[in-house]
Amino acid sequence: MGIKITDKVTWVGKIDWELKHFHGNEYSVRRGSSYNSYLIRDKKNVLIDTVWSPYDKEFVSKLKNEIDLKDIDYVIVNHSEPDHSGALSELLREIPDVPVYCTANGAKMLKGQYHQDWNFITVKTGDTLEIGESTLTFIEAPMLHWPDSMFTYMSGDNILFSNDAFGQHYATESLYNDKTDQCELEAEAIKYYANILTPFSKLVTKKINEVLSFNLPLDMICTSHGVIWREKPEQIVLKYLQWADDYQEKQITVIYDTMWNATRKMAEAIAEGIKSAAPDYTVKLLNSSVEDKNDIITEIFKSRGILLGAPTVNNACLHSIGGLLEMVYGLKFRKKYAAAFGSYGWSGESVGLISEGLKKAGFKLVSEGLKYMWVPDEEGIKACYDFGADFANQIK
Ligand code: FEO
């Protein structure tokens, strides 16, 4: 089961080819995922992280093929979220006294989830653990992305065990970044950053700069999901610095929902107006009721500006746009422009509500928005086209 990564380190995780949703239904998974766990054999034997609980028995049983559990000297929990701590109960039932290294927050969170008083050893940034030829150094990374998150650095092999950071929900037998489809890998890495790490971007920059200041030699980044960054591991670090710096491309995205196609017609005319005013920009049009919500978030992440549209229904807007506003509020995008639009029959509240939501979520509103009564006629289409062109002119 294990895959030898270096003379001392073996991957002992689980590839989950069937996973379709993560964090409940909050994150769509298109290409599976993995829960990466690592076994280090030096004078002391160390297990770093485990797997999600549906695979706990399988994990422990296969781990026994690698090592007599009694020979594991230390367990390190870089992060207590169940996708990594889910097999601890099964494992520690067999070796209850083994020291479990984690942050102070990690110990609290593990107790809160599993109600077990395991042999916790809490660590802080700079604390070390001598395991023979190698030394493990702990680096706290609070809010990247939970308060308990930490990295573990292994000297000698020069590996950063980064847990969620630099990961992707991406199942691949080939394990290493240089052996996988680069387009798929990039798509999954940016989706992961956009949907999970965006709110913590300032902390990402700070933590990466702190780690870089240690001048640690880096041969590999062993994440807890997806590939191991073996070829040019610094490439994903540089990407993270770029993504954390209020990332945007020359892209404007028009996102809408529609009942009888009036708002769709508005969206299409707006997109044409944008294209005429900003021909060097990528313009994307997405119907939020049928597109994957996490893909939409990734497109928003890449955009300099977005236009959000929905008709008015029951004095409100359609639920797919309402849900998206809730998501962008939590993700705390910065330095992005926005405007609202939508058709209506009589009361017409949707544009005001969407504008309010965008403002609350931190977008810079370019205008009060555009609402159109019933179905836009030729004049209405022209108004939408001009609205799109004006938006592009103001933000490009
Ligand atoms: Fe992969 Fe935050 O758990």
Side-chain angles (χ1 to χ4, degrees):
M1 120 207 206
I3 302 169
K4 222 165 161 43
I5 298 171
T6 67
D7 284 346
K8 291 194 177 78
V9 182
T10 304
W11 177 93
V12 290
K14 169 71 188 174
I15 299 174
D16 189 345
W17 296 97
E18 289 190 351
L19 193 71
K20 294 291 173 212
H21 303 284
F22 191 77
H23 285 154
N25 272 317
E26 280 301 289
Y27 191 107
S28 61
V29 176
R30 194 163 293 140
R31 300 182 175 99
S33 190
S34 66
Y35 318 107
N36 298 336
S37 168
Y38 301 94
L39 179 66
I40 305 174
R41 292 183 182 89
D42 202 327
K43 285 203 177 86
K44 299 287 186 182
N45 300 314
V46 183
L47 182 74
I48 298 185
D49 294 323
T50 66
V51 301
W52 188 29
S53 50
Y55 301 106
D56 59 355
K57 288 184 175 56
E58 175 183 330
F59 170 76
V60 171
S61 145
K62 287 183 173 174
L63 188 60
K64 285 178 183 172
N65 295 333
E66 286 289 333
I67 189 168
D68 185 331
L69 297 186
K70 292 190 174 50
D71 292 336
I72 296 176
D73 297 289
Y74 310 117
V75 171
I76 291 174
V77 177
N78 274 334
H79 176 35
S80 69
E81 199 165 1
D83 49 328
H84 310 296
S85 64
L88 278 176
S89 298
E90 190 69 20
L91 176 70
L92 297 179
R93 194 172 297 128
E94 304 219 24
I95 45 172
D97 298 324
V98 71
V100 176
Y101 284 73
C102 58
T103 61
N105 277 326
K108 276 187 217 157
M109 292 172 145
L110 287 167
K111 282 179 194 170
Q113 292 176 87
Y114 300 103
H115 312 291
Q116 296 289 325
D117 203 12
W118 290 320
N119 181 14
F120 295 111
I121 311 284
T122 60
V123 293
K124 294 193 171 77
T125 296
D127 288 352
T128 56
L129 182 61
E130 303 293 336
I131 58 169
E133 289 176 350
S134 299
T135 300
L136 301 180
T137 303
F138 303 106
I139 304 161
E140 292 167 281
M143 296 318 297
L144 295 180
H145 67 123
W146 271 22
D148 66 314
S149 301
M150 74 168 181
F151 306 153
T152 300
Y153 177 77
M154 178 186 179
S155 70
D157 284 4
N158 305 333
I159 297 175
L160 183 70
F161 296 95
S162 63
N163 197 265
D164 283 334
F166 312 121
Q168 334 80 45
H169 287 302
Y170 184 30
T172 165
E173 274 303 344
S174 43
L175 197 63
Y176 297 105
N177 68 309
D178 50 293
K179 295 216 160 187
T180 54
D181 181 310
Q182 299 301 296
C183 291
E184 287 185 358
L185 177 56
E186 163 114 23
E188 295 302 338
I190 196 169
K191 177 181 173 183
Y192 190 93
Y193 189 98
N195 283 274
I196 296 179
L197 287 157
T198 297
F200 314 113
S201 284
K202 282 189 175 170
L203 296 170
V204 169
T205 308
K206 205 169 155 200
K207 184 52 60 181
I208 288 178
N209 286 328
E210 180 193 324
V211 174
L212 291 176
S213 76
F214 300 154
N215 284 318
L216 300 166
L218 187 63
D219 290 346
M220 269 192 263
I221 297 176
C222 289
T223 67
S224 60
H225 297 293
V227 300
I228 291 172
W229 297 93
R230 172 178 70 174
E231 186 182 80
K232 298 185 186 151
E234 67 282 1
Q235 65 178 285
I236 189 63
V237 179
L238 296 174
K239 278 279 179 204
Y240 263 47
L241 285 173
Q242 207 183 350
W243 292 339
D245 189 18
D246 303 324
Y247 185 73
Q248 49 186 252
E249 297 174 13
K250 280 188 159 184
Q251 178 173 329
I252 297 172
T253 306
V254 183
I255 304 152
Y256 67 96
D257 198 350
T258 193
M259 290 175 77
W260 293 106
N261 288 325
T263 301
R264 177 181 61 76
K265 286 178 180 163
M266 292 181 78
E268 289 174 359
I270 288 168
E272 281 186 32
I274 297 168
K275 203 65 208 168
S276 71
D280 56 335
Y281 268 64
T282 299
V283 183
K284 291 193 181 173
L285 212 64
L286 303 166
N287 180 327
S288 55
S289 70
V290 294
E291 297 292 340
D292 178 272
K293 62 187 183 308
N294 303 105
D295 288 344
I296 296 175
I297 290 296
T298 308
E299 294 304 333
I300 294 175
F301 179 74
K302 285 158 47 180
S303 298
R304 177 161 174 76
I306 64 166
L307 292 114
L308 223 53
T312 298
V313 58
N314 299 332
N315 309 110
C317 72
L318 294 182
H319 83 278
S320 73
I321 292 292
L324 209 53
L325 283 169
E326 197 64 22
M327 289 177 83
V328 292
Y329 173 70
L331 288 166
K332 301 180 181 65
F333 289 107
R334 284 162 37 92
K335 299 189 181 169
K336 292 191 190 291
Y337 296 91
F341 64 96
S343 67
Y344 69 104
W346 47 100
S347 59
E349 289 91 344
S350 69
V351 170
L353 290 169
I354 295 167
S355 295
E356 222 173 89
L358 286 166
K359 198 171 167 195
K360 192 173 138 205
F363 287 82
K364 297 181 198 177
L365 282 188
V366 167
S367 73
E368 285 181 0
L370 177 68
K371 54 179 173 179
Y372 198 85
M373 196 169 190
W374 298 114
V375 181
D377 56 9
E378 202 175 317
E379 194 184 315
I381 291 293
K382 174 76 170 56
C384 294
Y385 181 94
D386 291 344
F387 179 71
D390 181 59
F391 182 86
N393 281 327
Q394 287 202 55
I395 76 161
K396 69 179 185 183

